[in-house]
């Protein structure tokens, strides 16, 4: 260490004086200027990064990066000043993070945000309310309840009377904010479980007595949740945690449009009803499947649930905001029949990570998961922590509430329509190209396709199952390499997934998946992405796969 850095190092000491300066800002102009200076450093630094790096991520292998992060010792004394830390974040970290805001990044459900989200998130961090209880959030809890009512109304369309009764009621809840979609789904299933295994006779309810006592009281051995095979894996996590066991999420077959097969659903219900040891805890309809964007026939599922008295949950983590589009909201018809609904804020509400929400048709449903602790939440208090899986929680509702004021439902509707419109155009483009095959036609803004060399297109259509299986295995290998090579080239990113198909349907199919939510993504860009894929296949892979 040379002498200047030695001297600089000496300045950085942790003591009561230096700590005081971190917690207390003077109220003069120079202190304000300091605050602004750091904000500028972050905003402008990141702005440059987002503009200059069209690419997905700078090419540097994970292994190489990991080799630079091998220090497991905490430093006792401060190492860096704030300005240095920000410089390091902007210059050394950001370029190796993924530029999810790039219009060429069309592989995942994380994308560009309106710029003001960063300002709103800063406000939330600066005010630092804890929505677990009124004493640390006050008006924020009340704003949250109003916003929950607004979105509840968008889903369920109850009348003025209903909302004036429940909007600020301390005894009821129309829903709640959660960490993410996973915990929103878990909350919905938690409510469903507790309502089914409620207090009766000498049994004190599952929440108090546990699953073993609950099953014994009911004389059953197993509970299941029914969903299509495209159900999100968060459902399995929930079943694991809630004591059902993750294998008791039953994945039902889908039809040619990736919607759950209603006949199979009805048959499965009958089968289970004939088995006195098994109970159906809930059925989940998907409104925007993660892999294909497809929407289950919600009205028919709701009808089955009503007939058999089953909790009907709709997982609209992805598709929920489609309700903002006058043109496409009909796709979600039947969602108003759901007992509970999941919607993610950090997906098509374009919020920063992370925000989930769960809504309940019945304003008393969440009583099934209410907890009271004497020092935090007393019965009859409006503390939102009473009925939530989370304890301490950020006031994300302020971000969404403000964003809705800035965008209007119309603004969100335009984003939804851009995505779905673009997906339809992209599907046409894929159909028109001889060496691609559209695998799932988009219902929302997600579609899947794969590279199939022109000479194989006819062959695979006419192949018997054995032959199809053989060709698909080769094509799967090819598309895996293609997706990886494109990602590694660093310019554009589509994701890859495997759609399950039985052997007599030709076996599993590896597909390329695009999620079209960035309003800066245009057909021109998608064409470039296809061109790049064709080039990769023609130049690099023809040798290896020429024989198929
Ligand atoms: C994303 C998603 C989830 C999970 O949400 P997270 O916010 O990632 O936890 C659940 N269901 C569906 C359909 C999703 O698309």
């Amino acid at each position: 260490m040379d002498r200047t850095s030695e001297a600089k190092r000496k300045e950085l000491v942790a003591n009561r004086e230096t700590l005081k300066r971190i917690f207390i800002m003077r109220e003069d102009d120079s202190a304000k200027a300091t605050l602004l200076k750091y904000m500028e450093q972050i905003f402008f630094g990141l702005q440059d990064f987002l503009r200059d790096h069209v690419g997905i991520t700078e090419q540097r292998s994970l292994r190489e990066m990991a080799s630079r992060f091998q220090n497991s010792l905490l430093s006792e004394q401060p190492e860096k000043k704030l300005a240095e830390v920000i410089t390091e974040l902007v210059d050394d970290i950001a370029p190796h993070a993924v530029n999810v805001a790039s219009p060429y990044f069309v592989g995942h459900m994380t994308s560009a945000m309106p710029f003001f989200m960063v300002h709103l998130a800063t406000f939330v961090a600066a005010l630092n309310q804890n929505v677990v209880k009124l004493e640390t959030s006050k008006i924020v809890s009340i704003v949250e309840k109003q916003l929950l009512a607004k979105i509840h109304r968008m889903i369920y369309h109850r009348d003025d009377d209903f909302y004036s009764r429940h909007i600020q009621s301390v005894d009821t809840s129309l829903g709640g904010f959660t960490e993410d979609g996973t915990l929103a789904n878990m909350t919905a299933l938690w409510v469903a479980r507790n309502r089914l295994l409620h207090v009766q006779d000498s049994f004190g309810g599952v929440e108090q007595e546990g699953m073993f006592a609950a099953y014994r009281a009911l004389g059953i051995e197993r509970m299941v949740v029914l969903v299509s095979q495209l159900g999100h894996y968060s459902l399995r996590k929930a079943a694991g945690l809630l004591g059902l066991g993750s294998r008791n999420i039953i994945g039902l077959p889908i039809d040619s449009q990736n919607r759950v097969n209603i006949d199979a659903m009805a048959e499965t219900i009958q089968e289970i009803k004939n088995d006195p040891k098994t109970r159906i805890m809930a059925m989940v309809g998907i409104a925007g499947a993660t892999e294909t964007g497809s929407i289950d026939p919600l009205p028919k599922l709701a009808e089955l649930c009503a007939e058999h008295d089953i909790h009907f949950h709709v997982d609209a983590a992805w598709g929920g905001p489609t309700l903002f589009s006058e043109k496409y909201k009909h796709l979600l018809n039947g969602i108003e029949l759901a007992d509970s609904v999941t919607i993610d804020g950090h997906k098509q509400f374009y919020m920063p990570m992370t925000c989930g929400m769960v809504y309940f048709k019945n304003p008393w449903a969440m009583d099934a998961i209410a907890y009271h602790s004497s020092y935090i939440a007393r019965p009859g208090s409006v503390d939102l922590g009473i009925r939530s899986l989370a304890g301490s929680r950020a006031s994300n509702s302020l971000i969404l509430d403000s964003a809705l004021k800035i965008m209007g439902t119309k603004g969100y509707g335009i984003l939804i329509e851009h995505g779905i419109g673009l997906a339809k155009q992209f599907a046409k483009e894929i159909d028109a190209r001889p060496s691609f095959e559209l695998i799932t036609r988009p219902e929302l803004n997600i579609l899947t396709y794969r590279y199939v060399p022109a000479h194989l297109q006819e062959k695979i259509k006419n192949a018997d199952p054995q032959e199809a299986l053989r060709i698909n295995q080769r094509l799967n290998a090819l598309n895996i390499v293609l997706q990886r090579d494109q990602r590694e080239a660093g310019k554009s990113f589509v994701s890859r997934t495997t759609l399950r198909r039985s052997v007599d349907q030709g076996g599993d199919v590896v597909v390329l998946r695009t999620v079209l939510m960035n309003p800066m993504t245009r057909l021109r860009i998608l064409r470039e992405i296809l061109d790049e894929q064709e080039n990769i296949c023609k130049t690099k892979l023809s040798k290896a796969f020429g024989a198929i």
Side-chain angles (χ1 to χ4, degrees):
M1 203 181 273
D2 62 40
R3 281 187 46 204
T4 44
S5 58
E6 183 78 52
K8 205 163 128 203
R9 183 93 185 65
K10 282 225 173 90
E11 286 172 29
L12 300 176
V13 286
N15 58 34
R16 293 193 65 86
E17 271 314 300
T18 53
L19 284 178
K20 216 163 130 187
R21 268 187 274 140
I22 294 173
F23 280 88
I24 303 170
M25 264 281 178
R26 293 184 318 271
E27 287 189 21
D28 56 24
D29 286 349
S30 98
K32 282 183 190 159
T34 307
L35 264 184
L36 277 179
K37 188 183 76 187
Y38 293 128
M39 287 314 259
E40 273 184 23
Q41 198 189 347
I42 294 174
F43 283 154
F44 293 168
L46 272 185
Q47 182 119 341
D48 288 346
F49 157 69
L50 293 174
R51 192 187 51 231
D52 295 342
H53 294 251
V54 263
I56 297 322
T57 175
E58 210 170 82
Q59 258 186 306
R60 182 173 287 189
S61 77
L62 274 180
R63 191 180 305 168
E64 187 192 336
M65 283 195 273
S67 69
R68 292 167 53 218
F69 291 84
Q70 297 285 340
N71 179 6
S72 60
L73 287 174
L74 292 165
S75 63
E76 188 187 355
Q77 287 296 339
E79 281 180 272
K80 293 194 161 103
K81 294 186 163 187
L82 177 58
E84 293 171 299
V85 167
I86 295 173
T87 301
E88 183 177 280
L89 287 171
V90 169
D91 294 347
D92 296 346
I93 302 298
H96 306 296
V98 176
N99 186 359
V100 296
S102 164
Y104 290 82
F105 185 88
V106 291
H108 285 304
M109 294 172 153
T110 304
S111 176
M113 297 183 291
F115 71 86
F116 60 73
M117 292 294 183
V118 181
H119 299 89
L120 298 173
T122 305
F123 178 85
V124 166
L127 198 62
N128 196 30
Q129 302 293 288
N130 184 351
V131 198
V132 68
K133 56 178 174 163
L134 212 59
E135 288 165 0
T136 49
S137 61
K138 216 164 165 183
I139 192 170
V140 177
S141 298
I142 293 173
V143 173
E144 182 166 315
K145 282 188 84 91
Q146 176 182 264
L147 178 58
L148 288 167
K150 286 179 181 177
I151 295 177
H152 188 280
R153 190 165 195 159
M154 184 176 88
I155 299 169
Y156 290 108
H157 310 291
R158 303 294 297 270
D159 59 18
D160 287 343
D161 203 40
F162 175 88
Y163 290 106
S164 60
R165 236 173 337 129
H166 294 291
I167 189 164
Q168 295 295 346
S169 160
V170 295
D171 303 318
T172 56
S173 327
L174 300 174
F177 278 75
T178 58
E179 180 65 33
D180 61 0
T182 296
L183 297 197
N185 278 342
M186 187 172 297
T187 304
L189 293 184
W190 185 22
V191 165
R193 186 195 72 165
N194 288 9
R195 282 167 69 79
L196 188 64
L197 307 178
H198 55 80
V199 182
Q200 54 185 325
D201 306 327
S202 63
F203 171 58
V206 65
E207 191 67 26
Q208 279 196 38
E209 300 209 13
M211 284 294 259
F212 184 77
Y215 282 10
R216 198 173 46 193
L218 268 75
I220 61 172
E221 289 171 359
R222 179 185 181 218
M223 287 203 305
V224 299
V225 173
L226 306 178
V227 63
S228 97
Q229 66 184 63
L230 292 174
H232 191 268
Y233 71 108
S234 56
L235 299 171
R236 280 186 282 127
K237 286 186 189 170
L241 266 167
L242 291 170
L244 277 75
S246 59
R247 66 196 292 181
N248 289 316
I249 298 288
I250 311 285
L252 287 115
I254 48 180
D255 64 18
S256 61
Q257 284 160 65
N258 306 296
R259 301 168 186 164
V260 68
N261 181 317
I262 280 286
D263 294 336
M265 183 64 90
E267 277 165 31
T268 307
I269 293 173
Q270 272 317 329
E271 267 168 37
I272 296 171
K273 290 233 144 177
N274 292 336
D275 169 4
K277 297 282 183 204
T278 303
R279 203 59 69 81
I280 301 169
M281 192 185 90
M283 181 195 293
V284 180
I286 311 169
T290 314
E291 288 167 287
T292 58
S294 45
I295 300 167
D296 283 333
L298 304 179
K300 287 189 186 149
L301 293 179
E303 205 175 295
L304 282 175
C305 285
E307 186 185 331
H308 297 284
D309 196 20
I310 298 168
H311 181 106
F312 182 39
H313 176 64
V314 170
D315 184 355
W318 178 253
T322 308
L323 292 170
F324 287 133
S325 161
E326 285 303 316
K327 194 166 168 191
Y328 294 115
K329 67 180 181 192
H330 68 274
L331 295 174
L332 264 54
N333 281 352
I335 195 172
E336 72 283 357
L337 302 169
D339 293 300
S340 52
V341 173
T342 285
I343 303 184
D344 259 343
H346 56 258
K347 290 182 180 168
Q348 297 209 82
F349 276 106
Y350 293 81
M351 286 172 67
M353 295 290 137
T354 54
C355 174
M357 291 169 274
V358 60
Y359 293 89
F360 291 90
K361 181 160 70 182
N362 177 344
W364 287 272
M366 289 182 94
D367 283 353
I369 57 167
Y371 267 79
H372 303 283
S373 82
S374 56
Y375 81 98
I376 292 191
R378 288 169 275 274
S381 97
V382 295
D383 294 348
L384 298 180
I386 294 175
R387 301 179 191 88
S388 99
L389 184 52
S392 296
R393 191 158 63 73
S395 44
N396 277 329
S397 57
L398 291 182
I399 299 180
L400 184 53
D401 195 50
S402 308
L404 278 161
K405 284 176 186 158
I406 297 168
M407 308 263 292
T409 57
K410 181 88 194 268
Y412 276 112
I414 291 170
L415 289 173
I416 292 287
E417 285 162 22
H418 167 80
I420 299 179
L422 186 62
K424 287 183 197 291
Q425 289 178 306
F426 189 37
K428 263 194 203 155
E429 178 74 21
I430 292 167
D431 278 336
R433 294 210 184 197
S435 46
F436 287 99
E437 182 189 7
L438 185 69
I439 301 288
T440 57
R441 200 159 284 285
E443 204 169 0
L444 296 177
N445 50 0
I446 299 175
L447 66 74
T448 67
Y449 65 101
R450 63 176 173 170
Y451 186 85
V452 179
H455 71 278
L456 282 181
Q457 299 258 1
E458 273 308 304
K459 199 166 172 186
I460 194 158
K461 262 186 216 130
N462 303 320
D464 60 43
Q466 281 250 283
E467 175 76 352
L469 187 66
R470 197 184 64 82
I471 299 176
N472 276 333
Q473 282 168 351
R474 301 298 302 275
L475 288 174
N476 289 351
L478 180 137
N479 280 277
I480 288 171
V481 177
L482 164 59
Q483 190 266 348
R484 198 193 53 209
D485 279 12
Q486 186 172 40
R487 185 191 64 205
E488 291 305 307
K491 179 165 183 240
S492 32
F493 176 77
V494 303
S495 57
R496 167 170 66 76
T497 187
T498 303
L499 299 180
R500 303 280 161 213
R501 290 196 188 157
S502 63
V503 172
D504 45 299
Q505 290 172 301
D508 291 352
V509 176
V510 168
V511 293
L512 307 172
R513 167 176 167 270
T514 56
V515 182
L516 304 172
M517 68 181 295
N518 186 335
M520 296 301 130
T521 303
R522 303 268 156 184
L523 188 59
R524 175 184 60 76
I525 289 176
L526 297 175
R527 286 195 181 118
E528 278 179 47
I529 290 176
L530 291 181
D531 291 344
E532 190 187 13
Q533 289 173 343
E534 276 177 350
N535 276 334
I536 291 173
C537 287
K538 281 193 186 127
T539 56
K540 222 174 150 178
L541 302 172
S542 59
K543 267 190 225 111
F545 291 96
I548 30 174

